Amino acid sequence: MTALRAVLADAHANNVTEYWLLGDTIMPGPGTTDLLDLLANTNITHYVRGNWEDCLIGAIAGDIDLKRPTQVYLGRLAAYTYDRINEAGLATIKNWPLTDITQVGPLKTLICHNLPNMNWGTDLMRMSPQENFDAIFDGLDVDLAVIGHTHSPFLRYGTQGQMIINPGSVGQSPHYDAGPAGDLRARYAILDIDDLGITSLIFRRVDYNRDAEIALAEAADLPYLDLYKESLTVGVTHQHDHDLLGELNTRLGYNDDVATFLGRL
């Protein structure tokens, strides 16, 4: 929430008029209904669904393996979010598409979280081979692709000259993109398009009050609070750390919490 507010203020100062949301909006932070309300009051013309939204939807449907600590992690966060989001908000998230194609000026533009048919995986890391990026355009006649997922901003091209833009992450900039100065500011991009095509592309970095976000998470009794703090302050995440999550789930009683949650669905 804190990073998003800072980015929206910066975008407003730079005369941004329209927003595209590239997924991974809900979880693992404390923003729930308040976050969706903020987005609903912003001129977002295109939404797509990220893997975190699918994790939330899947967990609420009961698709959790209690024997896997990483699944319990997702289930505990989903239970937290489910208790704080209204049915209208959940329906909104479910209705976000996996892929959106829109015409902007002369450019036919693809908007998706990762690959058009897969919003998870490591195929499109910024240094991935060219064939991975060319796969974005398989069977699609588009000029421009705007993607997210990896949290790292970059500009690349398909072999047929299509432009690929990743604006980075607003809420969780990764340690591998922090550079020697440890730059974990919120990332987004401003794209200007006129009747002839792209006039400018600006990658923006916006500082925000991490202490305020941590205080918000503490006040909201966010599960895995220490992990959330670490993601904000050093850019390291642990959603795939089986051993660490197993220890936390046992010590903090999250295995039982998720079993109870699943039992009442």
Side-chain angles (χ1 to χ4, degrees):
M1 284 293 291
T2 312
L4 179 60
R5 289 191 183 106
V7 162
L8 290 175
D10 186 80
H12 179 74
N14 282 278
N15 302 311
V16 170
T17 57
E18 178 183 342
Y19 299 83
W20 298 350
L21 192 145
L22 304 177
D24 282 4
T25 305
I26 298 290
M27 301 195 310
T32 52
T33 300
D34 52 351
L35 178 59
L36 293 178
D37 287 345
L38 177 59
L39 295 174
N41 288 296
T42 302
N43 186 32
I44 300 174
T45 58
H46 298 279
Y47 289 82
V48 292
R49 201 173 69 249
N51 54 296
W52 277 99
E53 282 85 28
D54 278 352
C55 287
L56 171 63
I57 294 166
I60 291 173
D63 186 16
I64 293 291
D65 183 352
L66 291 172
K67 296 179 181 179
R68 296 175 59 189
T70 54
Q71 290 276 299
V72 172
Y73 170 75
L74 294 172
R76 184 64 187 90
L77 289 171
Y80 171 88
T81 302
Y82 183 71
D83 286 341
R84 288 161 177 80
I85 196 169
N86 56 40
E87 288 297 327
L90 184 58
T92 295
I93 292 170
K94 288 180 177 180
N95 285 332
W96 291 346
L98 199 62
T99 298
D100 195 357
I101 295 179
T102 186
Q103 188 78 28
V104 186
L107 302 179
K108 194 172 184 181
T109 301
L110 168 70
I111 304 167
C112 54
H113 185 65
N114 188 46
L115 289 165
N117 61 347
M118 187 175 74
N119 61 7
W120 52 274
T122 59
D123 298 73
L124 300 182
M125 304 299 289
R126 60 184 173 182
M127 298 305 292
S128 293
Q130 183 63 42
E131 56 264 29
N132 290 22
F133 288 91
D134 287 340
I136 297 172
F137 304 103
D138 285 349
L140 297 175
D141 179 21
V142 296
D143 307 296
L144 167 67
V146 183
I147 64 174
H149 186 54
T150 66
H151 295 210
S152 182
F154 59 75
L155 169 65
R156 288 191 57 152
Y157 289 87
T159 54
Q160 302 302 313
Q162 311 98 323
M163 183 179 284
I164 306 162
I165 299 168
N166 189 323
S169 172
V170 170
Q172 287 193 340
S173 295
H175 67 93
Y176 54 78
D177 191 49
D183 184 357
L184 295 173
R185 288 176 291 181
R187 270 84 155 156
Y188 80 106
I190 302 175
L191 179 65
D192 283 317
I193 300 175
D194 66 10
D195 291 340
L196 296 179
I198 294 173
T199 59
S200 69
L201 169 63
I202 304 171
F203 289 97
R204 296 284 298 167
R205 299 191 177 197
V206 183
D207 205 6
Y208 66 97
N209 189 333
R210 287 166 187 77
D211 290 338
E213 178 63 19
I214 290 168
L216 186 67
E218 289 173 341
D221 197 22
L222 180 71
Y224 304 98
L225 178 63
D226 287 343
L227 300 189
Y228 189 59
K229 290 179 181 178
E230 188 175 358
S231 72
L232 296 179
T233 55
V234 297
V236 173
T237 58
H238 295 280
Q239 64 263 34
H240 303 297
D241 190 331
H242 179 97
D243 293 337
L244 175 61
L245 292 175
E247 186 275 325
L248 289 174
N249 293 338
T250 299
R251 175 163 55 85
L252 299 174
Y254 289 161
N255 293 308
D256 292 338
D257 290 345
V258 175
T260 300
F261 172 66
L262 295 176
R264 64 184 171 88
L265 291 176

